[in-house]
Amino acid sequence: MDTGKVYLDNNATTPVDPKVLEEMLPFFSERFGNAASRNHAFGWQADEAVQNAREQIAELIGARPQEIIFTSGATESNNLAIKGITKNHEGINGHIISCQTEHKAILDPLKQLENSGFEVTYLRVDPDGLIDLNELEAEITDRTILISIMYANNETGVIQPIKEIGELAHKRNVLFMTDATQAVGKIPIDVDELGIHLMSFSAHKMYGPKGVGALYVKSKIKIDAQIDGGGHERGMRSGTLNVPGIVGMGKACELCLQFMSNDETRLGILRDKLEQQLLRISGTSCNGHAEKRLSHVSNISFEGLDGEKLLLSLNEIAVSQGSACTSATVEPSHVLKGMGMSDELAFATLRFGLGRFTTEAEIDFAVEKVERAVTQLRH
Ligand code: PMP
């Protein structure tokens, strides 16, 4: 396997920051205790490390440590939030509002709720990828129990009007949940200021390890556990805590707080350079709102090309196609289609995701490779 590639797929996952790894390592060996062991120092040491991580994570998002529930990642956090909050509303014809361009880790649990009698409204987005706040307001009814709108899109980086949604949810007395997996650690977030009740995120998108994530649950909100046994995490998520992973997530959050502003500016400059050069190639266009998007993401269509063939010929750079692969079929991206794009153009689209370790030389290299591959394929 060739690992000498230039990695521009940081929305899929990020490398673990060496400082994060260093912090985690002792918790695999000499500090191996179970954080729930109350009777000896091994347990106390693990518990202290978990509490420290809870504080680091809470600080990044403006929450209180006890509002952080550890999970195995954002997929689990989304499931826990959506299924856990609706449990008390079963059989009352409850209504949820979400959006067509959400991640499958939101759309699939919602589909299950629809099967058990809930009504779900999926808001459309405009060609820039943004929801319409008037449409959102018009869809809220007396039966609406939850609004679930993602913070920033994983394919385009488009950032939804979270503060306005929070205000609306507050005004109409509806709970507001956001899948912030792509946004946490990348842009400043304050859950109180934004009126967020539930928020999911994941360590491996912010230079932490895979298999650990969190759900922010605002104080006094009760959600039903999806995994029972032992009553860990204030009864909302049982199971022995993944101490090394949690320590890594905490450190990753601390580093994000430290580097966020710098990373955002530097990657914005690199992303703009990448985009300007790619957009010089004929038949290219950039997807998503020009300003309301994350500074490290670029989603580019190459008209008339087969994205899969383009990916294959770009064997020295790791990028991803703007489409979701299911087990047997490759479907055009529901995100791009939701923005009004044709299947053909959606298939001809690539996502470039820059990260903390991306260099200018790598961007220059990627531009050169893409230009060459497109020219060859068009011949
Ligand atoms: N939501 C969004 C927006 C994502 O980008 C991802 C990761 N692709 C997930 C949820 C799922 O996260 P995890 O890999 O931690 O389960």
Side-chain angles (χ1 to χ4, degrees), residues 271-305:
R271 193 273 313 269
D272 289 350
K273 182 175 183 188
L274 171 80
E275 228 161 54
Q276 278 157 15
Q277 301 201 26
L278 292 182
L279 291 175
R280 279 199 217 130
I281 303 172
S282 71
T284 50
S285 50
C286 182
N287 306 306
H289 193 280
E291 285 101 43
K292 293 174 184 164
R293 63 178 171 143
L294 299 171
S295 78
H296 62 279
V297 189
S298 187
N299 188 289
I300 307 272
S301 297
F302 298 85
E303 207 183 317
L305 284 188

Side-chain angles (χ1 to χ4, degrees), residues 11 73-75 78 103 105 150 152 154 179 181-182 202 204-205:
N11 289 41
T75 301
N78 284 342
H103 192 274
M150 75 195 318
N154 46 302
D179 174 354
T181 310
Q182 296 288 345
S202 191
H204 77 98
K205 308 283 187 185

Side-chain angles (χ1 to χ4, degrees), residues 60-64 151 187-196 199:
L60 179 67
I61 61 168
R64 271 80 24 208
Y151 208 119
I187 52 176
I189 293 178
D190 185 308
V191 284
D192 285 344
E193 226 168 75
L194 296 165
I196 295 167
M199 182 171 85

Side-chain angles (χ1 to χ4, degrees), residues 8 19-20 50 54 67 98 106 129 136 143 146-147 154 163 178 206 211 224-225 238 246 271 332 370:
L8 292 177
K19 295 189 196 80
V20 168
V50 168
R54 232 184 265 285
E67 293 172 322
S98 189
I106 290 284
L136 169 60
R143 291 188 297 107
L146 179 70
I147 296 170
N154 46 302
K163 192 168 170 43
T178 185
M206 46 172 165
D224 269 340
S238 287
I246 288 168
R271 193 273 313 269
V370 175

